Amino acid sequence: LTVLRSIAAQRGLRLPLVRSLLPVPFRRCLFRHGEHPGQEEHMVICLHGFGDNAVPYDRLMATMKIPSSASVSLNGPLEVNPDLLDSPPGFSWFHFFDEEEGDFIAPTVGETRRLESLSGTVEMLRQVMEQLLASGWQRENILFMGFSQGGTAALQTLLLEDGRGLTPGVVVAVAAGCLEESLARKHAVATESSHVLLLHRDQDPATSEQVVAQSVALLRSCGHRVQRSTVSGAGHCMLGSEEEARVLFQFLGGAWDKSSRGLERMVAAGQVEEVGRVEA
């Protein structure tokens, strides 16, 4: 990282991630340049939902063409048992399934497996942030965008902030809220505030209105600038409508002090394809 800092500082560059310096589970990430390679200002880190993988999110970045942005789509650090999936391989951001019981882990009193596992993932995501900062990217221009379980992981990076400045400046959680076990705990006020968007559909059976509302309140109490947007529609998916895309681009326009009109025109009707799988 010291070498990366030196190169980035001397040449005024924003360098791509070096896979060999990433945590092992992230080394098969998919990197995508923006329309003008080497001139990107923003970096988008994509985190998929439970049982999915990085491939559809890399395609989404190609479709969306977020202005002046490069992207990295990651696989979660835990591979999901192929027998549980329709289309393996698929990954998870934290322990979600009890193999012995043959059922999903419920957020009951005293249950800590999901939270402990997610804390380990957050530490790996901090290493991604550390390399990005060393490579010339500015914290305020780094976006963690996650769907469902990936959105929960992105939000958790803000709740486990440790004072090292390794939290993203912008977080978008689609069809997601904070982990229930985190909502039950006290969290310190963040040393650096982030822009946060929680976006979900009003008829999404897998997204709890109560959890989202509690997540908004918790994140605001920690000092973050939080926007909650609910759009009409059913289904549990990642950006499957023009309305959702417009909400996202308007939010990014404000977070990055860019013209929201300029961002909006990058997404025409029907241009954003539906990605992500319905979670069990």
Side-chain angles (χ1 to χ4, degrees):
L1 292 181
T2 302
V3 174
L4 287 177
R5 289 191 185 95
S6 177
I7 294 173
Q10 289 177 7
R11 301 182 184 179
L13 299 175
R14 289 175 288 274
L15 306 175
L17 286 172
V18 179
R19 287 184 174 85
S20 62
L21 297 180
L22 292 173
V24 172
F26 294 164
R27 291 180 184 176
R28 298 183 67 181
C29 63
L30 301 177
F31 175 79
R32 182 172 294 277
H33 273 296
E35 290 186 304
H36 303 287
Q39 299 180 35
E40 302 93 344
E41 297 178 37
H42 311 118
M43 174 62 77
V44 182
I45 304 297
C46 295
L47 312 179
H48 59 75
F50 172 76
D52 211 339
N53 59 65
V55 174
Y57 294 81
D58 180 60
R59 289 201 302 262
L60 177 67
M61 291 297 97
T63 301
M64 292 185 70
K65 298 183 175 65
I66 299 176
S68 190
S69 298
S71 67
V72 174
S73 298
L74 300 173
N75 286 325
L78 303 172
E79 187 162 5
V80 177
N81 185 337
D83 293 338
L84 299 176
L85 304 175
D86 293 330
S87 302
F91 301 86
S92 177
W93 297 98
F94 51 88
H95 287 300
F96 202 74
F97 193 82
D98 189 322
E99 295 281 356
E100 293 184 3
E101 296 292 331
D103 200 359
F104 291 93
I105 299 172
T108 54
V109 176
E111 174 59 70
T112 61
R113 286 175 292 174
R114 298 198 313 171
L115 185 58
E116 290 173 357
S117 175
L118 183 53
S119 297
T121 294
V122 167
E123 183 55 40
M124 285 188 274
L125 291 172
R126 285 184 182 137
Q127 293 178 48
V128 174
M129 278 294 301
E130 187 173 23
Q131 188 184 147
L132 287 172
L133 295 172
S135 301
W137 301 91
Q138 300 299 309
R139 175 187 174 274
E140 61 269 21
N141 290 333
I142 299 173
L143 160 64
F144 278 20
M145 182 165 67
F147 166 63
S148 198
Q149 199 197 63
T152 296
L155 294 172
Q156 193 72 10
T157 65
L158 303 179
L159 296 179
L160 295 182
E161 192 250 7
D162 63 355
R164 290 186 288 166
L166 299 179
T167 55
V170 185
V171 170
V172 172
V174 179
C178 298
L179 197 68
E180 288 93 329
E181 295 90 323
S182 277
L183 293 172
R185 300 191 174 201
K186 292 184 178 180
H187 299 274
V189 174
T191 55
E192 293 185 283
S193 179
S194 297
H195 292 272
V196 184
L197 171 65
L198 285 86
L199 171 63
H200 66 97
R201 297 181 174 190
D202 60 1
Q203 299 175 57
D204 178 355
T207 302
S208 165
E209 291 271 355
Q210 181 180 7
V211 168
V212 172
Q214 291 175 342
S215 300
V216 170
L218 174 58
L219 291 162
R220 285 176 177 165
S221 73
C222 292
H224 299 294
R225 290 161 283 186
V226 185
Q227 172 184 329
R228 176 185 178 182
S229 294
T230 305
V231 300
S232 59
H236 189 61
C237 67
M238 174 72 172
L239 298 179
S241 72
E242 183 186 2
E243 182 183 5
E244 290 166 299
R246 286 193 178 278
V247 169
L248 170 63
F249 275 55
Q250 287 176 335
F251 167 77
L252 293 179
W256 284 335
D257 295 323
K258 304 291 182 182
S259 165
S260 60
R261 182 180 302 174
L263 284 165
E264 283 180 2
R265 63 183 171 80
M266 300 300 294
V267 180
Q271 189 177 359
V272 178
E273 63 180 310
E274 183 173 310
V275 302
R277 300 173 186 158
V278 176
E279 295 192 16

